[in-house]
Amino acid sequence: MANEGLAKICDGYSKAHGSYITWDTDVNLDPPKSWGKPAPEEDSYLLDYYNSLQYTLYETAHPETVDRTSVPRGHSNKEQVNVVLLSSPVECIGVLLEGGKQVPDGFHLVMSPSWLSKVQSADDPALSSLMMHKSISFHENGASYIDEYDPPRKVTYFVNYFTDTITSGHRSDGVDIEKNLDSPMSSSIKLCELVDDKVWTRDVMADVGMEIPETLAIRREPIRKLSSATKKMAVLSFDCYNCLDIKDVGNEISAFAKRLQSLNIKTIVVKPSGPKYLGSVGISFHSASNVTSIIEAADDLLQEIDEGSSVLIEEFIEPISPRNTGTHGVRLWSANDELGFRVRSTICRDHDGTPVTTLINCSVANKRLPINGDNTICQSLNSTLLAYNILSEHERKELERTIRVQSADVLEKIIERENLLSDEEKGALRGQTDVIGIDMVVTERAGKLVPVGIEVNSHDCTINTQLYDFMMNLGESMLVSNKTNSCPRPTEKKNEPELIPLISDIYIDGDGKSNERTEDHLKSNRKANLLESRYYHGNTVGKSVRPLVRNMIVRSQQYMVRGKQIIVIGGGGYSKRNIWTDAEKYGIHITLVDSDEDHLAKDLVHRFVHYDFDDHKKDFAHACNIYNILQAKDIQVDGCLTFWEDCVPLAALVKEMAGTKGSEHKAALTAKKKSRTQNVLNMRKADIPHWPRTYLYSSQSVHIKSEDDSVLVPKDFKFPAILKLEHGSSAVGVSVVKNEDEIRKKYQDISELFRDESDFPGIGLGHDNTMVAMEYHKGSEHDVDVILYDRKLVGAFISDNGPTRYPYFTETAAVMPSCLPADKQAQLIAAAYQCCTEIGLSSGTFNVELLMTGTGPKLIEINARMGGFYLREWIRDIYGVDLVLCSLMISCGLKPYIPKLPANKCIMGIMLIPSAHAHVLQEVQYKTQLNEMIEKNEIKFTQFGELGESTSSDYEEPFGNIAVGAETAEEAKENLIRICNKLEVIMDKYPVHTFLRYF
């Protein structure tokens, strides 16, 4: 290479490995056979990239990469996730290893553009879809493989590190690959330029209340719109250096320097800001009194900066100095007055869009020189503060809380501003900022530690995080047996954890007095606690990018489900109204088949087909007719399902005819018929090595087809018992019977009241009005919403129900997550999973109702469709998982990815019934209060039906649910009772305190 300096840069970028090579280098790194052109010139570095990867894998105890290119692979992973990082391994090995854990075979290192191709997008001819022909794929336990693909795989998320900025001018052949893609990506080049713009991001930091330096910015182009919140930054704009009045600029700099001197600022920093000015390039330090030196440094930079770049003249933020606490307070690793430290916080957008501050680490060096990640060794904020003799645990936690919350707020504000940009301004249809790093200096003002934001770095900011993660993982693996033997330092608690624990809402001040924090402080603390819970969950390697990886996976799946044509059989009632608009937001085309010609969803779905299927005794004929209608209309069927209980067997029949994913009709029919469900499970008595015997969850049950069938009840049948509709739902018609005579009497009463579908629509009478007698068990009631794919459990969510409204057994109250001990929750999940799979349910979202008795779980019933009422909204709010999207994905053969996260809150709710609570929606006073509380986010109100829909006051169904969210069940209960009192939901005939007594 002609230019020696450039050669050094290239060598530094491509060769990130030692001289000791113990792995096989005879591997196929050539372009795939489909490439058909000579290898790109940059491919000469591929072996260096490969050796860098093996070097990392070898020294971090991961297996060597295996070459499997001799036999191209045909099938993708079941999640259909293909996240591609076009890069050397240096920037992204942490993301790849974490991705391989979460979705094996879903994360890929592509080291050459020749391994990719672009084809015209099926959605928009002006755009391209990216196809992957070759990659290094990552799997569980750090396994990796060189693979070729035939047919090529569709890329579902793209990260481009082959740019001039990231590679220090080494290569930019990722730029053409990135242009006009329809796939999601982390940050387009244009968004990187925006986020790396110190002027724009300092404005963002100031907008969220983060301190920034006093700054004079001289910018070569009109400045992007700034907020009015930035009082510490003045901006001068110019078009070109020749048209810049240097004298005027000198006067502005002189005035700025004098103002800083008046503020007792001794040092001024001059630095360039722009895409190519990374790693402290061009920074100089000057005495505030030496105005000439400052002007000359600024002028030198102004002559060379490109369009869009700036020169910043700013105050030097004086970092904190070690505190003098006497001999006993000084640690062995103590800092000195010449040292300063930079704080770097890493913030990732999580799977549900929440910005999460993951790692907060520090770099220590000479405070009078630039500090960056290349010339320092990263360490934790906590140990850095201890080295500076910040011995107060409260003070350290308080600083960490501030950094964690403000950093997340910065990304949230960036997201907010990005959402206002056009696709052209963002540089990509689905480009967005998913990860940033923020550099800060900690200073002391009025005796308080204050973080001051210096700059924001875009998506290539995760190198330091992976260095820290690898280093911590190495230390933990070697020192695990010695943890209890560590020598405690003076004034430290023995075994003080490196990761700072969650922050409480009560603190002890300097006088030893306990003080409650202000409401704003409480909110900030709670936000910090939430962010920590998302970050500290799980082991070390990859932890810093775990939320980012979750985001990549979820965005991938939402991209893959776009444009799918899914048939939904039965639109259901008012409670399902949000499904149709949400499916449209996901880009899914719903064809709704319904008996009601004027169904409320008729104009909300992509296509509506009217067909009368109310008589479900003729489901097979209905399924044939529906399938023929779909074929006649040339409607593509990627998936078929239902969200409406009565249509579960019918939808399963249509699904079988169309050949799409889901459970078989036989299993759906078994789930719909309660006696058959129990009897099938009762026969499952064989040993299972890994679960309890399934029959233990079942109960004696007898199908009652006439009032005379009471004689069929076995002599050992235990009374009292439960009598319910064989195909019923919503507890309509459920009664307690004490003997055979009561079975006959109740059967006659209920069968006369509920004869067919017209008597009470939607509760199963379209199948028949026969009944089932079942054992009565005492215990607490629970819902388990499970997600299955190919008989494997993908997700499970438990809610606890309050006592039912005796004698009608309708639901009254609920809380999520469950308040049960962990082992009891495990019993419920195992029971729900076993009961579903043992009756043949294999793929879908299902709602399982169980009793937790003194001897363990007992099945009430299985609803072979997504749970109803409030469950979808609560699960989405608490866990960030949308059951509707999961159901739709499974129906078209996509295994949904379910993040395994702790609940971020507790939600508790109370049901509203027409006979007691109609005033909440009908009277102006209460309706106004309700709407105000909804707007203020004090409550969650879920409406299931319109008033007046119920046909029987004895068996009325709830029309809505009022719920509150809180950190604990105790707090939620207290708030819910207060709101129920305010809306007069509590009354003698509806004793809310009784319904909530077990929570």
Side-chain angles (χ1 to χ4, degrees), residues 580-601:
W580 321 116
T581 52
D582 289 345
E584 185 68 25
K585 290 175 185 175
Y586 289 126
I588 298 168
H589 302 317
I590 299 291
T591 295
L592 176 61
V593 182
D594 198 81
S595 298
D596 182 358
E597 192 172 6
D598 297 314
H599 192 277
L600 61 86

PDB file of all heavy atoms in Angstrom, residues 580-601:
ATOM      1  N   TRP A 580     -57.914  -5.527  15.249  1.00  0.00           N
ATOM      2  CA  TRP A 580     -57.895  -5.259  13.812  1.00  0.00           C
ATOM      3  C   TRP A 580     -56.995  -4.066  13.466  1.00  0.00           C
ATOM      4  O   TRP A 580     -56.216  -4.135  12.511  1.00  0.00           O
ATOM      5  CB  TRP A 580     -59.335  -5.042  13.320  1.00  0.00           C
ATOM      6  CG  TRP A 580     -60.283  -5.974  13.998  1.00  0.00           C
ATOM      7  CD1 TRP A 580     -61.325  -5.655  14.832  1.00  0.00           C
ATOM      8  CD2 TRP A 580     -60.242  -7.412  13.952  1.00  0.00           C
ATOM      9  NE1 TRP A 580     -61.927  -6.793  15.311  1.00  0.00           N
ATOM     10  CE2 TRP A 580     -61.293  -7.878  14.788  1.00  0.00           C
ATOM     11  CE3 TRP A 580     -59.443  -8.336  13.301  1.00  0.00           C
ATOM     12  CZ2 TRP A 580     -61.545  -9.224  14.974  1.00  0.00           C
ATOM     13  CZ3 TRP A 580     -59.687  -9.691  13.485  1.00  0.00           C
ATOM     14  CH2 TRP A 580     -60.731 -10.127  14.310  1.00  0.00           C
ATOM     15  N   THR A 581     -57.078  -3.020  14.246  1.00  0.00           N
ATOM     16  CA  THR A 581     -56.223  -1.858  13.981  1.00  0.00           C
ATOM     17  C   THR A 581     -54.770  -2.168  14.329  1.00  0.00           C
ATOM     18  O   THR A 581     -53.851  -1.690  13.656  1.00  0.00           O
ATOM     19  CB  THR A 581     -56.707  -0.639  14.788  1.00  0.00           C
ATOM     20  OG1 THR A 581     -56.836  -1.002  16.174  1.00  0.00           O
ATOM     21  CG2 THR A 581     -58.063  -0.161  14.276  1.00  0.00           C
ATOM     22  N   ASP A 582     -54.547  -2.982  15.371  1.00  0.00           N
ATOM     23  CA  ASP A 582     -53.174  -3.334  15.734  1.00  0.00           C
ATOM     24  C   ASP A 582     -52.527  -4.210  14.667  1.00  0.00           C
ATOM     25  O   ASP A 582     -51.337  -4.059  14.361  1.00  0.00           O
ATOM     26  CB  ASP A 582     -53.149  -4.043  17.087  1.00  0.00           C
ATOM     27  CG  ASP A 582     -53.449  -3.100  18.246  1.00  0.00           C
ATOM     28  OD1 ASP A 582     -53.393  -1.878  18.029  1.00  0.00           O
ATOM     29  OD2 ASP A 582     -53.738  -3.576  19.350  1.00  0.00           O
ATOM     30  N   ALA A 583     -53.298  -5.123  14.095  1.00  0.00           N
ATOM     31  CA  ALA A 583     -52.767  -5.961  13.016  1.00  0.00           C
ATOM     32  C   ALA A 583     -52.363  -5.096  11.827  1.00  0.00           C
ATOM     33  O   ALA A 583     -51.327  -5.333  11.186  1.00  0.00           O
ATOM     34  CB  ALA A 583     -53.804  -6.995  12.582  1.00  0.00           C
ATOM     35  N   GLU A 584     -53.159  -4.071  11.543  1.00  0.00           N
ATOM     36  CA  GLU A 584     -52.838  -3.151  10.450  1.00  0.00           C
ATOM     37  C   GLU A 584     -51.531  -2.418  10.732  1.00  0.00           C
ATOM     38  O   GLU A 584     -50.707  -2.215   9.836  1.00  0.00           O
ATOM     39  CB  GLU A 584     -53.983  -2.156  10.268  1.00  0.00           C
ATOM     40  CG  GLU A 584     -53.831  -1.222   9.078  1.00  0.00           C
ATOM     41  CD  GLU A 584     -53.931  -1.934   7.747  1.00  0.00           C
ATOM     42  OE1 GLU A 584     -54.558  -3.017   7.684  1.00  0.00           O
ATOM     43  OE2 GLU A 584     -53.374  -1.422   6.767  1.00  0.00           O
ATOM     44  N   LYS A 585     -51.315  -2.018  12.005  1.00  0.00           N
ATOM     45  CA  LYS A 585     -50.071  -1.332  12.368  1.00  0.00           C
ATOM     46  C   LYS A 585     -48.865  -2.239  12.153  1.00  0.00           C
ATOM     47  O   LYS A 585     -47.778  -1.773  11.811  1.00  0.00           O
ATOM     48  CB  LYS A 585     -50.127  -0.878  13.829  1.00  0.00           C
ATOM     49  CG  LYS A 585     -51.106   0.253  14.096  1.00  0.00           C
ATOM     50  CD  LYS A 585     -51.185   0.564  15.584  1.00  0.00           C
ATOM     51  CE  LYS A 585     -52.250   1.598  15.884  1.00  0.00           C
ATOM     52  NZ  LYS A 585     -52.409   1.814  17.350  1.00  0.00           N
ATOM     53  N   TYR A 586     -49.038  -3.535  12.380  1.00  0.00           N
ATOM     54  CA  TYR A 586     -47.948  -4.482  12.168  1.00  0.00           C
ATOM     55  C   TYR A 586     -47.737  -4.788  10.686  1.00  0.00           C
ATOM     56  O   TYR A 586     -46.805  -5.512  10.329  1.00  0.00           O
ATOM     57  CB  TYR A 586     -48.215  -5.789  12.914  1.00  0.00           C
ATOM     58  CG  TYR A 586     -48.106  -5.692  14.422  1.00  0.00           C
ATOM     59  CD1 TYR A 586     -49.149  -6.100  15.245  1.00  0.00           C
ATOM     60  CD2 TYR A 586     -46.956  -5.201  15.022  1.00  0.00           C
ATOM     61  CE1 TYR A 586     -49.043  -6.019  16.633  1.00  0.00           C
ATOM     62  CE2 TYR A 586     -46.847  -5.123  16.406  1.00  0.00           C
ATOM     63  CZ  TYR A 586     -47.894  -5.529  17.202  1.00  0.00           C
ATOM     64  OH  TYR A 586     -47.789  -5.454  18.572  1.00  0.00           O
ATOM     65  N   GLY A 587     -48.611  -4.261   9.827  1.00  0.00           N
ATOM     66  CA  GLY A 587     -48.495  -4.521   8.390  1.00  0.00           C
ATOM     67  C   GLY A 587     -49.048  -5.861   7.981  1.00  0.00           C
ATOM     68  O   GLY A 587     -48.738  -6.373   6.896  1.00  0.00           O
ATOM     69  N   ILE A 588     -49.892  -6.463   8.809  1.00  0.00           N
ATOM     70  CA  ILE A 588     -50.481  -7.770   8.537  1.00  0.00           C
ATOM     71  C   ILE A 588     -51.850  -7.570   7.879  1.00  0.00           C
ATOM     72  O   ILE A 588     -52.648  -6.750   8.327  1.00  0.00           O
ATOM     73  CB  ILE A 588     -50.630  -8.586   9.837  1.00  0.00           C
ATOM     74  CG1 ILE A 588     -49.244  -8.821  10.451  1.00  0.00           C
ATOM     75  CG2 ILE A 588     -51.344  -9.899   9.576  1.00  0.00           C
ATOM     76  CD1 ILE A 588     -49.289  -9.358  11.870  1.00  0.00           C
ATOM     77  N   HIS A 589     -52.114  -8.339   6.833  1.00  0.00           N
ATOM     78  CA  HIS A 589     -53.379  -8.217   6.100  1.00  0.00           C
ATOM     79  C   HIS A 589     -54.353  -9.282   6.608  1.00  0.00           C
ATOM     80  O   HIS A 589     -54.149 -10.480   6.388  1.00  0.00           O
ATOM     81  CB  HIS A 589     -53.147  -8.379   4.601  1.00  0.00           C
ATOM     82  CG  HIS A 589     -52.184  -7.381   4.038  1.00  0.00           C
ATOM     83  ND1 HIS A 589     -52.212  -6.044   4.375  1.00  0.00           N
ATOM     84  CD2 HIS A 589     -51.153  -7.526   3.161  1.00  0.00           C
ATOM     85  CE1 HIS A 589     -51.260  -5.402   3.729  1.00  0.00           C
ATOM     86  NE2 HIS A 589     -50.587  -6.270   2.994  1.00  0.00           N
ATOM     87  N   ILE A 590     -55.375  -8.833   7.292  1.00  0.00           N
ATOM     88  CA  ILE A 590     -56.369  -9.741   7.862  1.00  0.00           C
ATOM     89  C   ILE A 590     -57.555  -9.882   6.916  1.00  0.00           C
ATOM     90  O   ILE A 590     -58.144  -8.893   6.471  1.00  0.00           O
ATOM     91  CB  ILE A 590     -56.880  -9.232   9.226  1.00  0.00           C
ATOM     92  CG1 ILE A 590     -55.741  -9.140  10.234  1.00  0.00           C
ATOM     93  CG2 ILE A 590     -58.014 -10.118   9.751  1.00  0.00           C
ATOM     94  CD1 ILE A 590     -55.181 -10.469  10.671  1.00  0.00           C
ATOM     95  N   THR A 591     -57.906 -11.133   6.617  1.00  0.00           N
ATOM     96  CA  THR A 591     -59.185 -11.431   5.973  1.00  0.00           C
ATOM     97  C   THR A 591     -60.095 -12.001   7.043  1.00  0.00           C
ATOM     98  O   THR A 591     -59.823 -13.086   7.577  1.00  0.00           O
ATOM     99  CB  THR A 591     -59.020 -12.440   4.829  1.00  0.00           C
ATOM    100  OG1 THR A 591     -58.225 -11.850   3.793  1.00  0.00           O
ATOM    101  CG2 THR A 591     -60.383 -12.819   4.253  1.00  0.00           C
ATOM    102  N   LEU A 592     -61.131 -11.268   7.402  1.00  0.00           N
ATOM    103  CA  LEU A 592     -62.043 -11.684   8.468  1.00  0.00           C
ATOM    104  C   LEU A 592     -63.269 -12.354   7.864  1.00  0.00           C
ATOM    105  O   LEU A 592     -63.934 -11.792   6.980  1.00  0.00           O
ATOM    106  CB  LEU A 592     -62.477 -10.471   9.296  1.00  0.00           C
ATOM    107  CG  LEU A 592     -63.506 -10.737  10.397  1.00  0.00           C
ATOM    108  CD1 LEU A 592     -62.956 -11.722  11.435  1.00  0.00           C
ATOM    109  CD2 LEU A 592     -63.931  -9.435  11.077  1.00  0.00           C
ATOM    110  N   VAL A 593     -63.572 -13.548   8.354  1.00  0.00           N
ATOM    111  CA  VAL A 593     -64.778 -14.275   7.965  1.00  0.00           C
ATOM    112  C   VAL A 593     -65.724 -14.258   9.148  1.00  0.00           C
ATOM    113  O   VAL A 593     -65.371 -14.737  10.236  1.00  0.00           O
ATOM    114  CB  VAL A 593     -64.450 -15.724   7.560  1.00  0.00           C
ATOM    115  CG1 VAL A 593     -65.716 -16.454   7.120  1.00  0.00           C
ATOM    116  CG2 VAL A 593     -63.398 -15.761   6.468  1.00  0.00           C
ATOM    117  N   ASP A 594     -66.940 -13.720   8.963  1.00  0.00           N
ATOM    118  CA  ASP A 594     -67.859 -13.613  10.089  1.00  0.00           C
ATOM    119  C   ASP A 594     -69.305 -13.760   9.637  1.00  0.00           C
ATOM    120  O   ASP A 594     -69.659 -13.451   8.487  1.00  0.00           O
ATOM    121  CB  ASP A 594     -67.688 -12.271  10.803  1.00  0.00           C
ATOM    122  CG  ASP A 594     -68.276 -12.294  12.210  1.00  0.00           C
ATOM    123  OD1 ASP A 594     -67.592 -12.797  13.125  1.00  0.00           O
ATOM    124  OD2 ASP A 594     -69.430 -11.849  12.366  1.00  0.00           O
ATOM    125  N   SER A 595     -70.133 -14.208  10.602  1.00  0.00           N
ATOM    126  CA  SER A 595     -71.566 -14.408  10.333  1.00  0.00           C
ATOM    127  C   SER A 595     -72.333 -13.098  10.249  1.00  0.00           C
ATOM    128  O   SER A 595     -73.380 -13.040   9.603  1.00  0.00           O
ATOM    129  CB  SER A 595     -72.186 -15.279  11.429  1.00  0.00           C
ATOM    130  OG  SER A 595     -71.610 -16.545  11.459  1.00  0.00           O
ATOM    131  N   ASP A 596     -71.832 -12.088  10.947  1.00  0.00           N
ATOM    132  CA  ASP A 596     -72.521 -10.803  10.998  1.00  0.00           C
ATOM    133  C   ASP A 596     -72.113  -9.958   9.790  1.00  0.00           C
ATOM    134  O   ASP A 596     -70.961  -9.541   9.672  1.00  0.00           O
ATOM    135  CB  ASP A 596     -72.163 -10.077  12.304  1.00  0.00           C
ATOM    136  CG  ASP A 596     -72.891  -8.746  12.451  1.00  0.00           C
ATOM    137  OD1 ASP A 596     -73.647  -8.354  11.538  1.00  0.00           O
ATOM    138  OD2 ASP A 596     -72.695  -8.095  13.497  1.00  0.00           O
ATOM    139  N   GLU A 597     -73.055  -9.702   8.918  1.00  0.00           N
ATOM    140  CA  GLU A 597     -72.763  -8.956   7.693  1.00  0.00           C
ATOM    141  C   GLU A 597     -72.306  -7.539   7.984  1.00  0.00           C
ATOM    142  O   GLU A 597     -71.596  -6.919   7.189  1.00  0.00           O
ATOM    143  CB  GLU A 597     -74.007  -8.939   6.808  1.00  0.00           C
ATOM    144  CG  GLU A 597     -73.752  -8.445   5.415  1.00  0.00           C
ATOM    145  CD  GLU A 597     -74.965  -8.614   4.515  1.00  0.00           C
ATOM    146  OE1 GLU A 597     -76.033  -9.013   5.029  1.00  0.00           O
ATOM    147  OE2 GLU A 597     -74.851  -8.365   3.307  1.00  0.00           O
ATOM    148  N   ASP A 598     -72.728  -7.004   9.149  1.00  0.00           N
ATOM    149  CA  ASP A 598     -72.359  -5.640   9.535  1.00  0.00           C
ATOM    150  C   ASP A 598     -71.427  -5.632  10.741  1.00  0.00           C
ATOM    151  O   ASP A 598     -71.522  -4.765  11.613  1.00  0.00           O
ATOM    152  CB  ASP A 598     -73.629  -4.829   9.840  1.00  0.00           C
ATOM    153  CG  ASP A 598     -74.533  -4.685   8.633  1.00  0.00           C
ATOM    154  OD1 ASP A 598     -74.002  -4.361   7.552  1.00  0.00           O
ATOM    155  OD2 ASP A 598     -75.748  -4.913   8.761  1.00  0.00           O
ATOM    156  N   HIS A 599     -70.535  -6.581  10.812  1.00  0.00           N
ATOM    157  CA  HIS A 599     -69.625  -6.673  11.954  1.00  0.00           C
ATOM    158  C   HIS A 599     -68.816  -5.386  12.101  1.00  0.00           C
ATOM    159  O   HIS A 599     -68.429  -4.748  11.114  1.00  0.00           O
ATOM    160  CB  HIS A 599     -68.680  -7.862  11.775  1.00  0.00           C
ATOM    161  CG  HIS A 599     -67.908  -8.208  13.006  1.00  0.00           C
ATOM    162  ND1 HIS A 599     -66.744  -7.561  13.361  1.00  0.00           N
ATOM    163  CD2 HIS A 599     -68.145  -9.117  13.994  1.00  0.00           C
ATOM    164  CE1 HIS A 599     -66.280  -8.066  14.493  1.00  0.00           C
ATOM    165  NE2 HIS A 599     -67.108  -9.016  14.895  1.00  0.00           N
ATOM    166  N   LEU A 600     -68.554  -4.997  13.362  1.00  0.00           N
ATOM    167  CA  LEU A 600     -67.864  -3.730  13.638  1.00  0.00           C
ATOM    168  C   LEU A 600     -66.479  -3.662  13.017  1.00  0.00           C
ATOM    169  O   LEU A 600     -65.916  -2.580  12.808  1.00  0.00           O
ATOM    170  CB  LEU A 600     -67.787  -3.481  15.145  1.00  0.00           C
ATOM    171  CG  LEU A 600     -67.030  -4.484  16.039  1.00  0.00           C
ATOM    172  CD1 LEU A 600     -65.550  -4.176  16.112  1.00  0.00           C
ATOM    173  CD2 LEU A 600     -67.621  -4.479  17.450  1.00  0.00           C
ATOM    174  N   ALA A 601     -65.877  -4.817  12.700  1.00  0.00           N
ATOM    175  CA  ALA A 601     -64.534  -4.833  12.116  1.00  0.00           C
ATOM    176  C   ALA A 601     -64.556  -4.825  10.589  1.00  0.00           C
ATOM    177  O   ALA A 601     -63.497  -4.847   9.958  1.00  0.00           O
ATOM    178  CB  ALA A 601     -63.765  -6.060  12.598  1.00  0.00           C
TER     179      ALA A 601
END
